[in-house]
Amino acid sequence: MIFQLFNEVKLKQPLELILSKIILIEGDCSALNVNISEANQQILAQNVSMIFHFAATVRFTEKFKHAILLNVRGTREMLKLSQTCKNLKLFCHISTAYCHLKERVLLEQFYPTVDPNEAMKIAEENDVAQTEEIFSKYLNRNIPNSYVFTKALTETLIVESKLPVLICR
């Protein structure tokens, strides 16, 4: 089904030409600088116009430390990388409607959360047990798990980035 999106492109350009424009770059969203080499960062900075950020842990039982480092810090690192892209037209982030459970109707707007930078600092400076103890106080029927909590935090980072963004829920 998704490949139908590219039918018009395939009619206008040979598949070989399309594939020649694709460069695979390995990275790790849980690592600082997304664990992308300086050379590959330069390739991205010079050539990328759209970034689609899908990476996240979606486990509802994930420990807060791991969820924050991957979902929140990983998004921050992708945003930092995006800010170097000279031709960036769009940063598309896949979020979830599940991240603002207290809202009966989820509008296309920003919903403030706790400071994501403070959450990252706590996760980076504390072990798993300490981080779990600190953030477990946020759990309630509107924030039932680390997934909901971190996806809301990532939306805050994205809105604060001042990049051309699209958040898909």
Side-chain angles (χ1 to χ4, degrees):
M1 196 67 182
I2 193 165
F3 295 109
Q4 292 176 355
L5 294 172
F6 299 101
N7 284 345
E8 188 173 332
V9 173
K10 289 189 291 188
L11 290 173
K12 293 180 179 178
Q13 295 186 4
L15 182 60
E16 296 77 26
L17 179 61
I18 296 168
L19 292 176
S20 72
K21 296 179 180 186
I22 297 173
I23 301 170
L24 297 178
I25 296 178
E26 186 176 342
D28 178 356
C29 282
S30 67
L32 295 175
N33 295 318
V34 199
N35 205 26
I36 296 177
S37 71
E38 183 66 35
N40 282 338
Q41 287 180 32
Q42 289 302 314
I43 290 170
L44 294 172
Q46 295 299 321
N47 297 291
V48 169
S49 59
M50 291 190 286
I51 292 178
F52 295 86
H53 180 50
F54 293 64
T57 178
V58 297
R59 291 186 193 118
F60 292 172
T61 58
E62 190 75 75
K63 298 292 185 189
F64 277 98
K65 180 176 181 81
H66 302 298
I68 291 168
L69 293 180
L70 180 59
N71 292 356
V72 185
R73 187 177 73 181
T75 299
R76 180 196 67 194
E77 295 302 300
M78 287 299 297
L79 289 166
K80 284 171 41 180
L81 178 64
S82 300
Q83 290 170 333
T84 69
C85 296
K86 293 173 177 41
N87 302 309
L88 189 72
K89 303 285 186 246
L90 174 68
F91 181 92
C92 178
H93 176 72
I94 304 303
S95 188
T96 176
Y98 193 58
C99 67
H100 301 291
L101 292 174
K102 70 179 179 181
E103 304 297 328
R104 287 185 48 87
V105 176
L106 193 59
L107 302 174
E108 293 183 23
Q109 68 180 43
F110 170 63
Y111 295 91
T113 62
V114 299
D115 182 0
N117 295 300
E118 184 63 27
M120 286 183 284
K121 183 178 179 189
I122 291 168
E124 290 170 339
E125 294 177 353
N126 292 280
D127 65 24
V128 173
Q130 292 167 319
T131 305
E132 198 70 14
E133 183 180 333
I134 292 166
F135 288 108
S136 63
K137 68 182 176 194
Y138 290 100
L139 295 179
N140 58 52
R141 68 184 197 100
N142 293 321
I143 304 173
N145 53 56
S146 62
Y147 174 71
V148 171
F149 183 70
T150 58
K151 292 303 271 185
L153 290 176
T154 60
E155 287 191 9
T156 300
L157 277 177
I158 291 163
V159 169
E160 291 174 352
S161 74
K162 306 297 185 214
L163 291 170
V165 299
L166 171 66
I167 298 173
C168 298
R169 296 183 180 130

